[in-house]
Amino acid sequence: TKVKMSIEANNPLSNAKMIFRSGDAINLQPSDTLRFYTTFTINRSDSWHLNLQDFLGQQTIGLERDVIMLPDESPKVEITYPSRDTTLNQTMLQRIKSIASDDFGLMNLKVHFRIEDREVVERIIKGNITGSLYETDYILDLTGLDLFPGNRVEYWLTVQDNCPETNTSESGHLFLRLPSIEEIYREIEEKENEKREELNEVLERSKEMTEEFEEKRREMLKKEEVEWEDTQDLKKFLEEQEEIKEDIDSVTEEYQELIDNIEQNEALSAETVDKMERIQELMEELDSDQMRDAMEKMQESMEKLDPDVLKKAMKDMKLSLDDFNEKLEKTIELLESIKKEQQLQKAIDIMEQMEKLQEQLKEKTGDENTDNEQLAKEQEKIKEQLDNLQEELDKLQDMLSPEKDQELSDMLKEMQEMQEMQELQQDMQDSQEQLKQNKRSEAQESQQSAQDKMKQMRKMLMEMKEQMGASGAAEMGEAMSECIRKLLFFTESHEKQVNIYEKDPFIILQQEWATYEGITMAVNKMFQVPMMSMFITPKFYYDMNFLDQSYREMFTEINENRFYKVKGFLLDITKGINLVIYDLMLTQSSGGGSGSGMESLMQQMQQMGQQQMAMNMLTQQMMQQMKQGNKGMSSKMRQQIEKLASDEQRLADNLKRALQNNPDAQKHMGSMEKLIEELESIAREIRAKRLNSELLKRQERIVSRMLDIQKSINKREFSRKRKAENSDFDEWDTPEAVKYKFKELQNKAMLKKDYKDYPLEYQEIIKEYLRLLNENLNDE
């Protein structure tokens, strides 16, 4: 470091010296008789003092001072994420977080990478850096670099300090690896097997707990009083069920993480991810409102110590446990049943990757600047993938059932034995040899021949996939139709019993038992097709539970000689059978309830959210008018309140309609039913003219719940990047509140202090609502 020092004296000086303890001395140069200066370079730490002499010969020795030399340390740079070698997904993008520091300053932060034994490539992340500490979140883009499955990419960072002589530091080296399709699927299969085993363990525990609970329930039926020991046993059961629920939640979250990771990897088909998402939805449905309600009622009945209430709660709990175990068992069966579909998709993905790589190799072969040996190695790797494909096809053949999949098995066998399979191997072998001999023109012909055969084989695999899908759909459709036919028969049989029933239920008891068992057998037979669970909506389970409970309660009432409720149960059973039939027919006609139905629901929920937001703002305006008013409520305000109540009820009615007719809405049954109850309750409060801050908070919670449902739909639908379609809103009624001219509210809304306190999604609804409002006002 160069230092310039100047001094100023109070008397004219004849000379001035700077004397160091080490013995060095520097004569200061005069600017005039009072001012002197010097320039020197610091090369070590030392101490010094001034020796001054004026024209009269007087000398002055100044105080000793220190000069401390701080060494210029080299800069540091560290990769903080990822912290270890990782796999590169098919997007070819890798996020890199880093931190760089220096004692004085930084510049030129760069990323360097090398693919296998190719030349090192460097890219500058940040040239001019302000400050001595810099953190960055950088995306390394490796697209277009001809990475081959199995290739490794070595990467590291460097940074310089701003010293004139420039010190450079380097981070540790990390590796990225582009996995093959086989490796990606292997990871999926391992994770799925792991989740299946965990669910099996949970199922075993749940079944054991259910048996113990049933023993306790039967014991309680014999008692007239609830003892303290009984409540402790039941408390333990509830704790065990809560642990089971937490285990299921954990498996569900981990399975969702697997899906999220797979979605980032564009190597997998949308169909594969879609099936996994449906299974994940079934896992989420295991945590049902019915189970939670049963557990809450059990807890409440234990506190009341009323034997009859407790027995009823235990009965409901037992039904919920049975339903839980049944759904869990079906989810496990479904995980097992999709293995052959995933295996076929795996073969298709391997073939598509081979075809893509062969096309790239053909293009590079036409470039004279590429290395022959490198091209020959790439051809060898593609040929190895053909061997892997053959192994996967053999595994698929073993999975196919001789009874159900004979046609598929024959198609697969025909493909494996076709002459083109052997010729494909030869084409790639010829290409490899021709590349080594620099016969590029002949190599390109062999590559084109190989590519043509790959296309033909991929077409055959796609036909097998279509056949498998059609076969599965036909099996489900046939099973569903058979179940509907049987239920229609049982409906007719049951209605006959209702018509002949007078006062004595024992006349129809035997026939009703037979009908109940027939319905149960018909439904169980339908679910012998494992894939059925992926398409049956939650509303079917809800209505089936209602039907089952109506039968059980009727049999209990008859057993205890309480006949006055039997007529009501018979009517409930009629209603239940009809609802179950309707659910199946709706599912059958909608093909499982996906696509446009989900898009329609999404748009409906968005529209309703905007409508509710408008009503919230109107409620707030009327509350302010009521506070300011001194002469009571005007007739105009009473009309507005009545319209507002009607608007809230209209939203509830729209939701009911959606829940009845849209299978995708039925997937959110618990949330939507609570939403309907809250809307109807708010409508009653408004009609009673109870407008207050608590009501306004409830209205705001309505918007939040609608947003939650939208998020859930969005996660299921738009993660698959489907194209939205326009929906038909003819059956929907638009609340009057959204037709008002809210110029005043429009001006106030964005100025409110608490606007920024709303969730971002809520703010977006406000903005969208105001935008639409502005368009409407301009039109008028």
Side-chain angles (χ1 to χ4, degrees):
T1 299
K2 290 183 179 180
V3 177
K4 181 177 181 180
M5 185 179 72
S6 60
I7 66 169
E8 183 176 354
N10 61 340
N11 291 330
L13 299 176
S14 60
N15 62 70
K17 289 183 180 180
M18 183 179 184
I19 300 174
F20 291 88
R21 178 181 288 181
S22 62
D24 294 339
I26 300 175
N27 289 315
L28 278 66
Q29 303 299 313
S31 297
D32 54 42
T33 57
L34 294 176
R35 298 175 182 84
F36 285 70
Y37 72 91
T38 187
T39 302
F40 63 95
T41 301
I42 296 174
N43 50 32
R44 65 177 179 271
S45 297
D46 209 340
S47 61
W48 58 274
H49 67 269
L50 287 173
N51 189 324
L52 308 177
Q53 184 175 356
D54 64 13
F55 284 100
L56 297 177
Q58 300 179 96
Q59 288 190 352
T60 302
I61 297 177
L63 295 175
E64 190 169 88
R65 300 179 184 276
D66 293 324
V67 56
I68 300 172
M69 185 185 75
L70 298 176
D72 184 14
E73 301 287 350
S74 296
K76 297 178 181 177
V77 61
E78 178 187 0
I79 297 174
T80 58
Y81 176 87
S83 59
R84 59 182 181 217
D85 298 344
T86 53
T87 57
L88 180 67
N89 63 42
Q90 297 294 314
T91 63
M92 301 297 176
L93 303 175
Q94 176 61 47
R95 185 181 188 185
I96 301 174
K97 291 184 179 182
S98 66
I99 182 167
S101 62
D102 187 60
D103 47 355
F104 291 104
L106 295 163
M107 64 181 186
N108 294 336
L109 176 63
K110 297 179 181 179
V111 60
H112 309 256
F113 62 89
R114 174 171 48 220
I115 302 170
E116 298 294 343
D117 53 0
R118 302 185 205 174
E119 292 183 0
V120 175
V121 179
E122 69 174 43
R123 293 175 184 171
I124 190 155
I125 298 175
K126 184 78 171 176
N128 298 320
I129 300 174
T130 303
S132 58
L133 181 69
Y134 183 68
E135 293 185 65
T136 185
D137 193 340
Y138 176 75
I139 302 297
L140 177 60
D141 186 353
L142 299 174
T143 56
L145 296 179
D146 295 329
L147 278 170
F148 198 94
N151 280 163
R152 295 206 320 162
V153 181
E154 182 183 10
Y155 68 99
W156 63 96
L157 303 182
T158 61
V159 71
Q160 296 176 336
D161 62 11
N162 60 3
C163 173
E165 297 176 359
T166 310
N167 295 311
T168 302
S169 288
E170 188 175 293
S171 72
H173 290 219
L174 291 174
F175 289 88
L176 296 169
R177 186 174 183 277
L178 182 63
S180 65
I181 291 293
E182 301 94 300
E183 291 173 310
I184 294 171
Y185 269 99
R186 191 181 306 123
E187 181 184 359
I188 295 171
E189 289 160 4
E190 287 174 359
K191 291 287 179 65
E192 284 187 329
N193 289 336
E194 180 184 323
K195 299 305 137 203
R196 186 161 54 249
E197 288 303 314
E198 290 176 12
L199 289 177
N200 270 316
E201 290 175 8
V202 172
L203 179 61
E204 289 303 314
R205 283 167 49 206
S206 183
K207 284 183 175 180
E208 289 175 8
M209 202 258 307
T210 302
E211 290 176 5
E212 293 172 5
F213 183 83
E214 177 62 9
E215 289 179 12
K216 186 66 182 179
R217 189 181 76 86
R218 290 175 180 174
E219 177 188 326
M220 293 291 294
L221 289 173
K222 301 173 184 177
K223 294 184 177 182
E224 295 183 0
E225 298 294 332
V226 180
E227 299 174 359
W228 182 83
E229 290 81 3
D230 296 325
T231 61
Q232 294 305 302
D233 289 342
L234 294 176
K235 184 178 179 182
K236 183 180 176 183
F237 283 126
L238 288 178
E239 290 173 353
E240 288 179 3
Q241 183 59 33
E242 188 64 36
E243 289 176 5
I244 287 173
K245 190 174 84 64
E246 289 175 2
D247 289 343
I248 289 289
D249 291 342
S250 176
V251 174
T252 304
E253 288 176 10
E254 290 171 3
Y255 197 75
Q256 182 60 53
E257 288 175 9
L258 173 63
I259 294 172
D260 292 340
N261 290 334
I262 289 170
E263 284 185 328
Q264 293 176 10
N265 198 324
E266 297 173 358
L268 300 191
S269 69
E271 292 87 349
T272 301
V273 178
D274 190 60
K275 282 186 171 61
M276 295 178 72
E277 285 179 339
R278 290 198 182 191
I279 293 174
Q280 197 270 343
E281 287 174 1
L282 291 175
M283 290 182 185
E284 287 182 343
E285 288 167 15
L286 291 169
D287 183 19
S288 63
D289 292 335
Q290 177 191 347
M291 175 61 79
R292 287 195 297 272
D293 291 343
M295 291 175 70
E296 288 174 6
K297 288 177 182 177
M298 270 280 295
Q299 188 64 48
E300 291 171 3
S301 64
M302 285 161 56
E303 294 170 0
K304 293 179 180 178
L305 296 177
D306 184 325
D308 292 334
V309 174
L310 183 57
K311 290 173 185 177
K312 175 68 167 61
M314 290 183 73
K315 180 182 177 183
D316 292 341
M317 184 69 185
K318 175 60 168 57
L319 292 173
S320 297
L321 287 171
D322 289 340
D323 182 59
F324 174 84
N325 292 338
E326 185 179 348
K327 285 184 178 179
L328 180 53
E329 205 160 6
K330 285 171 183 171
T331 303
I332 295 170
E333 289 174 1
L334 188 56
L335 275 170
E336 187 66 33
S337 70
I338 66 168
K339 284 173 109 176
K340 64 183 178 184
E341 291 190 29
Q342 285 189 341
Q343 186 66 23
L344 177 54
Q345 186 62 53
K346 181 179 180 181
I348 292 171
D349 289 344
I350 291 174
M351 181 57 75
E352 285 182 344
Q353 188 177 71
M354 286 174 59
E355 194 177 336
K356 176 183 174 183
L357 293 172
Q358 192 66 57
E359 172 66 24
Q360 291 175 353
L361 180 61
K362 190 179 75 168
E363 291 176 3
K364 286 191 283 185
T365 302
D367 183 358
E368 293 296 332
N369 295 321
T370 54
D371 181 67
N372 287 332
E373 285 297 323
Q374 180 62 35
L375 295 176
K377 286 180 183 178
E378 291 186 15
Q379 185 66 79
E380 174 64 24
K381 289 180 180 179
I382 299 174
K383 192 171 66 170
E384 288 172 1
Q385 283 201 311
L386 182 61
D387 296 333
N388 295 335
L389 175 64
Q390 188 62 60
E391 290 179 12
E392 300 302 335
L393 293 177
D394 290 339
K395 290 179 187 177
L396 176 60
Q397 188 68 265
D398 294 338
M399 289 181 182
L400 296 177
S401 166
E403 296 82 18
K404 295 182 179 180
D405 306 315
Q406 187 59 53
E407 188 174 351
L408 286 170
S409 181
D410 292 342
M411 290 175 69
L412 181 57
K413 188 175 180 181
E414 178 186 346
M415 176 182 159
Q416 289 176 294
E417 293 177 351
M418 63 190 289
Q419 183 66 28
E420 283 81 352
M421 180 72 86
Q422 284 73 38
E423 291 177 356
L424 173 59
Q425 183 87 15
Q426 187 60 50
D427 285 338
M428 289 192 284
Q429 181 66 40
D430 292 344
S431 168
Q432 188 177 356
E433 294 298 327
Q434 289 156 354
L435 285 169
K436 289 178 179 179
Q437 298 168 20
N438 197 25
K439 297 179 180 179
R440 296 203 173 209
S441 178
E442 292 89 336
Q444 280 189 306
E445 290 179 6
S446 299
Q447 291 163 1
Q448 182 61 56
S449 177
Q451 194 175 344
D452 292 341
K453 293 179 177 65
M454 289 176 186
K455 286 181 180 179
Q456 184 180 354
M457 291 171 63
R458 179 168 58 87
K459 183 179 179 182
M460 292 185 69
L461 286 171
M462 293 299 293
E463 288 174 357
M464 289 178 60
K465 180 181 174 182
E466 291 176 8
Q467 176 64 28
M468 184 179 284
S471 175
E475 186 181 12
M476 282 191 294
E478 186 178 337
M480 210 177 291
S481 296
E482 183 182 355
C483 185
I484 290 171
R485 285 195 298 272
K486 290 180 179 178
L487 290 176
L488 288 170
F489 169 78
F490 291 128
T491 301
E492 184 179 357
S493 172
H494 172 73
E495 287 177 352
K496 288 180 182 178
Q497 303 308 313
V498 173
N499 292 333
I500 66 172
Y501 173 74
E502 292 180 355
K503 292 183 179 180
D504 186 0
F506 291 102
I507 298 174
I508 63 170
L509 184 60
Q510 184 176 359
Q511 186 60 39
E512 282 299 302
W513 262 114
T515 302
Y516 172 65
E517 290 178 353
I519 291 172
T520 304
M521 290 173 63
V523 172
N524 288 341
K525 185 177 180 182
M526 181 181 72
F527 277 107
Q528 287 179 3
V529 180
M531 296 294 287
M532 191 69 69
S533 302
M534 296 184 76
F535 297 94
I536 294 295
T537 64
K539 187 172 183 295
F540 170 85
Y541 294 109
Y542 181 89
D543 291 335
M544 192 65 205
N545 182 66
F546 169 78
L547 174 60
D548 186 74
Q549 196 164 349
S550 297
Y551 264 117
R552 289 174 182 269
E553 289 184 1
M554 182 182 73
F555 295 145
T556 300
E557 295 296 314
I558 293 173
N559 187 53
E560 296 179 3
N561 293 317
R562 292 195 295 266
F563 301 158
Y564 66 95
K565 292 184 179 180
V566 171
K567 185 71 174 179
F569 284 126
L570 288 172
L571 295 176
D572 284 344
I573 290 168
T574 303
K575 174 184 174 183
I577 299 175
N578 289 334
L579 283 172
V580 168
I581 293 172
Y582 178 75
D583 294 337
L584 291 177
M585 293 176 71
L586 192 64
T587 302
Q588 201 174 38
S589 63
S590 66
S594 60
S596 62
M598 194 175 295
E599 293 151 8
S600 171
L601 178 62
M602 182 70 175
Q603 293 183 38
Q604 290 165 0
M605 294 306 300
Q606 288 174 338
Q607 184 195 58
M608 293 173 73
Q610 293 167 9
Q611 293 169 357
Q612 183 62 55
M613 185 62 203
M615 288 186 278
N616 296 357
M617 296 170 74
L618 182 61
T619 301
Q620 191 171 17
Q621 186 188 50
M622 288 194 292
M623 284 170 58
Q624 291 174 352
Q625 292 175 0
M626 290 172 67
K627 287 180 182 178
Q628 296 169 359
N630 299 320
K631 300 180 181 179
M633 193 176 293
S634 65
S635 60
K636 183 178 179 181
M637 187 177 290
R638 282 195 291 270
Q639 290 175 1
Q640 284 183 332
I641 287 176
E642 182 57 37
K643 282 183 179 180
L644 186 60
S646 299
D647 291 343
E648 294 283 8
Q649 182 61 51
R650 192 173 288 114
L651 285 186
D653 294 340
N654 287 342
L655 280 174
K656 287 179 182 176
R657 201 174 298 135
L659 198 55
Q660 185 65 27
N661 298 318
N662 190 329
D664 288 290
Q666 295 164 12
K667 294 178 181 178
H668 307 275
M669 179 171 235
S671 302
M672 293 186 72
E673 283 193 326
K674 289 180 180 177
L675 201 55
I676 292 168
E677 291 175 6
E678 184 68 1
L679 282 166
E680 291 179 335
S681 174
I682 288 174
R684 290 192 295 270
E685 292 291 309
I686 294 174
R687 282 201 173 90
K689 301 177 179 61
R690 289 194 282 267
L691 274 65
N692 50 45
S693 58
E694 180 58 33
L695 178 75
L696 190 58
K697 287 179 182 177
R698 290 170 64 189
Q699 286 181 314
E700 289 172 350
R701 284 197 294 269
I702 289 288
V703 177
S704 296
R705 289 179 180 177
M706 288 179 175
L707 282 170
D708 288 339
I709 295 173
Q710 286 181 50
K711 286 179 185 177
S712 180
I713 300 168
N714 185 64
K715 177 182 174 185
R716 175 72 178 89
E717 171 68 358
F718 292 94
S719 64
R720 301 306 320 132
K721 301 178 182 178
R722 291 184 179 132
K723 183 180 178 182
E725 297 175 4
N726 292 328
S727 302
D728 186 1
F729 289 97
D730 290 345
E731 61 175 320
W732 287 73
D733 302 319
T734 303
E736 292 294 325
V738 298
K739 300 176 184 176
Y740 300 153
K741 295 183 179 181
F742 292 121
K743 282 188 178 179
E744 215 175 304
L745 294 173
Q746 182 177 232
N747 294 332
K748 289 180 181 179
M750 307 302 290
L751 300 176
K752 285 180 67 65
K753 291 181 180 179
D754 57 354
Y755 169 77
K756 293 296 181 184
D757 293 334
Y758 289 129
L760 290 176
E761 295 88 351
Y762 202 175
Q763 292 179 28
E764 289 303 316
I765 282 187
I766 296 173
K767 290 177 184 176
E768 178 65 12
Y769 166 70
L770 294 175
R771 184 186 68 78
L772 293 173
L773 218 103
N774 186 59
E775 290 178 0
N776 292 339
L777 291 173
N778 289 337
D779 291 342
E780 294 176 9

